[in-house]
Amino acid sequence: MADSVARQLTGRTPEPFDGTDTSTALKLLGVRIATFGATRYDHGQTLEAVFAEDTDRYAKILLRQDSGDLLGGILAGDTGSWTALRSLWAAGRPPTWSGCSCPETRSATPSPAVTKEFTLKTIAFLGLGTMGSPMAVNLCRAGHTVYGWNRSDGRDGPLRAAGGRPMASIREAVREADVVITMLPDAPQVEEVALGPDGILANARPGTLLIDMSTIAPQHAITLAGKAAEHRIRVLDAPVAGGETGAVDGILSIMVGGNAEDFAAAKPVFEALGRTVTHCGPNGRGQTVKAASQLVLAINLQACAEAVVFLEKSGVDLEAALDVIGGGMAGSTALARKKANFLKRDYTPSFRMGLHHKDLGIATDTARAIGAAIPLGSVAAQFVASAVARGEADLDHCALLRGVELLSGYDHEEQ
């Protein structure tokens, strides 16, 4: 009975309860909520949020219609009640309210195995572009339920084919999600999708984990995490490196900023997307590491482009030369991935020059703010900016080669 459960958990006789009012039942059992505030169940909601936010709505998640004793069992740390809850969700029968009771023999001490167990299986993926689409597909293949949304139409074909579920609005995509992933061009788009009146924070359940895999400035990531915390939504910034090929093959490098426990919980999600997954520190640190990565990549690509023109103007067999360079200390992932592009002058974008230009703006602005000198990075940023100014923003960033050819008075087609 609700009276006996409340007396067992709180040590006092509760006010009268007729077994019909949700809010009253939760108040009876809510005195000990501090003990269970960190407990999570399969859909990511915390019991603390259940009591602190919308009691009538979330009581329906925690209570089942046929016996009415599930909430008491959960609060008493009963593993069977948690199993029953998961079974109801798996069967497509969300629990509804009919009362609350619990045998007095159940222990009031939560089981460690229960309090630590929760999974992140339902994912809303917002942003199905060049990177986001294959990432969402890989999450489907890993067994996750994926609801997809994109700002423009016509990008949901691969997700649908992989078994994902395209949604018409952010609200529809996020409202039942354990995890919301955003993969968007820049901070303005992230802020619109996350903070707008019809966005993530307005529609996701408290306890949801928001993983922003876009590349934005570190300070924007910190600000987003702070605003999300006001809605009891947890945030990780998790930008990626590896380009479209890495996204398709599921071998991205993922640099993560945020709470260590949230990172650990999200590890299975990250492992479906990447090969190298690293927790870099608190919110914003993932974006800081990504900025450094983009500095290194721009310098590397510029050096490769200069080497290509140097070798061709010297009359050397370019393919043979790049093979031997790639086998030594001068070899790099950038050279290996872009070798064919350099040889064929193929600038079909896997990562657009315009996006790299944006990323280098983040790096140079951050460097200025913290007082770090980046002379080579600044020069590389100028070469990228020059390419964008010439109308090459939609070409692959290995089109830096065109700028070196221009400076060298060299036309590959005439050779």
Side-chain angles (χ1 to χ4, degrees), residues 283-307:
N283 289 111
R285 297 295 172 80
Q287 296 292 355
T288 301
V289 175
K290 176 60 186 290
S293 174
Q294 293 299 79
L295 274 179
V296 173
L297 178 56
I299 294 168
N300 199 327
L301 284 174
Q302 180 64 27
C304 289
E306 293 177 15

Side-chain angles (χ1 to χ4, degrees), residues 140-157:
C140 290
R141 291 172 177 167
H144 297 279
T145 298
V146 181
Y147 299 105
W149 175 86
N150 197 60
R151 292 181 302 141
S152 56
D153 296 331
R155 301 305 300 265
D156 58 15

Side-chain angles (χ1 to χ4, degrees), residues 362-411:
I362 292 171
T364 53
D365 287 347
T366 303
R368 184 181 302 110
I370 64 176
I374 51 168
L376 290 181
S378 296
V379 171
Q382 289 299 313
F383 281 116
V384 173
S386 176
V388 171
R390 292 196 305 272
E392 298 173 1
D394 289 329
L395 298 182
D396 189 81
H397 52 172
C398 70
L400 283 169
L401 177 56
R402 291 165 62 113
V404 179
E405 290 175 335
L406 182 64
L407 288 172
S408 302
Y410 177 70
D411 188 343

Side-chain angles (χ1 to χ4, degrees), residues 27 101 125 205 220 267 274 340 345 379 401:
K27 289 175 183 176
S101 63
F125 203 107
R205 299 171 304 175
H220 285 300
K267 198 75 180 291
R345 266 47 176 196
V379 171
L401 177 56

Side-chain angles (χ1 to χ4, degrees), residues 321-347:
L322 294 182
D323 281 342
V324 72
I325 290 172
M329 287 189 67
S332 66
T333 301
L335 178 57
R337 292 268 184 91
K338 300 300 181 182
K339 173 188 167 186
N341 299 80
F342 288 137
L343 291 171
K344 299 175 183 178
R345 266 47 176 196
D346 179 4
Y347 305 124

Side-chain angles (χ1 to χ4, degrees), residues 212-231:
D212 180 30
M213 305 191 81
S214 319
T215 297
I216 62 177
Q219 189 55 50
H220 285 300
I222 294 169
T223 299
L224 174 61
K227 292 183 177 179
E230 297 173 4
H231 295 259

Side-chain angles (χ1 to χ4, degrees), residues 111-298:
S111 163
V114 173
T115 57
K116 291 181 181 178
E117 178 185 353
F118 81 109
T119 57
L120 303 174
K121 295 298 291 182
T122 303
I123 298 172
F125 203 107
L126 311 183
L128 302 174
T130 300
M131 296 290 290
S133 179
M135 291 167 69
V137 167
N138 283 334
L139 289 169
C140 290
R141 291 172 177 167
H144 297 279
T145 298
V146 181
Y147 299 105
W149 175 86
N150 197 60
R151 292 181 302 141
S152 56
D153 296 331
R155 301 305 300 265
D156 58 15
L159 175 68
R160 194 187 300 274
R165 307 176 191 179
M167 308 304 283
S169 68
I170 296 173
R171 178 179 180 275
E172 292 178 3
V174 307
R175 62 185 175 182
E176 298 298 334
D178 306 319
V179 180
V180 177
I181 296 177
T182 49
M183 188 51 143
L184 300 164
D186 202 353
Q189 291 79 23
V190 173
E191 291 175 355
E192 177 186 356
V193 167
L195 308 180
D198 299 317
I200 297 167
L201 301 191
N203 291 288
R205 299 171 304 175
T208 298
L209 179 60
L210 169 57
I211 304 176
D212 180 30
M213 305 191 81
S214 319
T215 297
I216 62 177
Q219 189 55 50
H220 285 300
I222 294 169
T223 299
L224 174 61
K227 292 183 177 179
E230 297 173 4
H231 295 259
R232 297 178 181 241
I233 292 175
R234 303 166 291 146
V235 176
L236 296 173
D237 50 282
V240 303
E244 183 181 10
T245 300
V248 171
D249 295 340
I251 56 172
L252 293 166
S253 291
I254 306 174
M255 43 222 88
V256 186
N259 179 274
E261 292 182 1
D262 294 336
F263 170 75
K267 198 75 180 291
V269 175
F270 291 136
E271 288 174 345
L273 302 172
R275 179 178 295 169
T276 303
V277 181
T278 303
H279 183 231
C280 302
N283 289 111
R285 297 295 172 80
Q287 296 292 355
T288 301
V289 175
K290 176 60 186 290
S293 174
Q294 293 299 79
L295 274 179
V296 173
L297 178 56

